[in-house]
Amino acid sequence: MDTRPSLVLGNVALPSGRVADITLGNVRVTHVGARPLHAEYLDCSGMLVLPAAIDMHVHMRGGVQSAKENWTSGSMSALAGGVTVVVDQPNTIPPVSSPESLQDRVRDAREHSFCSFAVNSSVTPETPLESMWEAGAIAFGETFYARSSYGDAVSDEVLKPALKRIHALGALATIHAETIGDGDDTSLMCHDRARSPEAELRAVQSVGRLNTGGCRLHFCHLSTKQSIDAAPGSVEVTPHHLFLSLEDFDTTDTFGKVNPPLRTEKERKQLWGMWERIDVIASDHAPHTKKEKAQPFPAAPSGIPGTETMVPLLLAQVIDGKIPLQSVVEKTSYRPAEILGIPRAGFRIGDRADFAVYQKIPTPVTPEMLHSRCGWTPFEGHMAVFPRTVIREGIVVFRDGEFFNKESVWFSGKGFRK
Ligand code: NCD
């Protein structure tokens, strides 16, 4: 490991309250205390310096879906929001369901991504799970328990043995827990009814019952208190379920269409009441073009972009005194690292040297300030605190709107065989 000091973050207010200089080697934190001579120096007095986030649920698209997003635009969007590692979901076109498609995905990201990344394997009847693990998948899923945009549902007959096989590998299964009822899909209200809170709860319970072998489960984007209470595994919640509700949208507004659906204001408030139990905040960054979203409701794809606004929206809540700063770091950085087995970013010697430096001034979100290719955000007007500088593996990769050093790192899963 190269421990040459490349950058010193000066006068950093540590969680303990102590103010110290942090020396970053090429990849890791190498010293906490007085600064060494001959190092680049970034004074962080009065700034908020946080371990950078891992967004463990993004759809970076690319290929035939490049009009929505690709690795370049998606990773710029992540970095500009203080996220230095993303976990890409496998419902691409074609899906990541063979070792070759996983290798293609990694190659594409290596060439075009500004941020570090990991790639999940799909879970379908045809996916060779063991080979995907050896090819470097970090986890299995999101496994669609109900049909979604570009994702076919798996049946109980497929999921039960798949969970046994994933468990035998010692891997993590990530679950998109929904079931779909009858009825038209003509408005946000209908969408909420068809993919109801009760149906989400039933899906969580069913997956728990199918998991007879005790596979480690992670429940993606849970949208209600009840399903979080019932979840037999780690719990992920999105910013859109925390910050947006049905009442914020005209009911035929497709820009609020997402799976699981936005819920009522009452349910949104109950979700905040579960803050302590939530393991991970992840964005489910699911960009679609404005043109696709502008289609009549039944045809418009589900999905909301959000990797760039995820931490900034939460930090505005911290500044308002609504949630503790440390809980944001836990849910966006430490816990995802632990769940995925990625070395954590942080202030200890040996931690991954990924940081984001924020000026404690909230600003209203506008679509123009964001980097996703889709060009829209449902969080317009919400207050957010964006990073001024982002550091990945000891090197400045984003500063005041500019991107540098495009050299992304792939975090392969534990089963990877070179
Ligand atoms: C996701 C997408 O567009 O890829 N959409 C969404 O509404 N969340 C797929 C999915 O997770 O359902």
Side-chain angles (χ1 to χ4, degrees), residues 109-121:
R110 274 209 165 117
E111 276 173 32
H112 299 111
S113 179
F114 280 87
C115 68
S116 301
F117 65 94
V119 177
N120 277 4
S121 164

Side-chain angles (χ1 to χ4, degrees), residues 98-288:
S98 67
E100 295 71 35
S101 58
L102 194 136
Q103 281 148 10
D104 285 348
R105 199 76 192 137
V106 171
R107 204 172 306 119
D108 191 9
R110 274 209 165 117
E111 276 173 32
H112 299 111
S113 179
F114 280 87
C115 68
S116 301
F117 65 94
V119 177
N120 277 4
S121 164
S122 72
V123 177
T124 68
E126 295 78 35
T127 312
L129 302 173
E130 293 74 14
S131 315
M132 298 303 279
W133 189 229
E134 288 185 7
I138 194 125
F140 291 87
E142 59 180 298
T143 304
F144 289 97
Y145 201 59
R147 183 172 35 78
S148 199
S149 306
Y150 319 107
D152 286 334
V154 293
S155 63
D156 289 4
E157 292 66 39
V158 172
L159 188 55
K160 190 172 178 178
L163 291 178
K164 281 217 169 102
R165 286 164 65 191
I166 295 167
H167 180 55
L169 295 169
L172 175 74
T174 73
I175 310 290
H176 178 135
E178 282 196 285
T179 48
I180 313 179
D182 297 332
D184 294 341
D185 191 23
T186 50
S187 69
L188 293 176
M189 293 251 290
C190 296
H191 200 62
D192 173 46
R193 246 174 266 135
R195 295 166 172 268
S196 67
E198 298 72 35
E200 183 181 88
L201 172 62
R202 279 198 301 278
V204 167
Q205 291 167 333
S206 305
V207 173
R209 276 195 297 275
L210 289 175
N211 187 25
T212 48
C215 182
R216 199 156 57 92
L217 299 178
H218 174 80
F219 287 89
C220 306
H221 45 50
L222 290 181
S223 66
T224 67
K225 173 188 185 310
Q226 289 73 16
S227 18
I228 294 177
D229 273 333
S234 49
V235 166
E236 170 190 303
V237 167
T238 69
H240 47 269
H241 291 115
L242 285 169
F243 288 95
L244 305 173
S245 62
L246 276 178
E247 287 88 333
D248 294 330
F249 291 81
D250 184 293
T251 196
T252 53
D253 188 347
T254 50
F255 287 83
K257 186 177 177 188
V258 64
N259 298 332
L262 297 178
R263 305 301 186 191
T264 62
E265 186 60 12
K266 186 170 161 220
E267 284 159 322
R268 185 185 78 86
K269 289 197 172 127
Q270 287 174 349
L271 195 61
W272 274 108
M274 299 304 287
W275 183 250
E276 300 283 309
R277 167 67 182 95
I278 297 168
D279 293 279
V280 170
I281 304 294
S283 70
D284 186 13
H285 179 73
H288 299 286

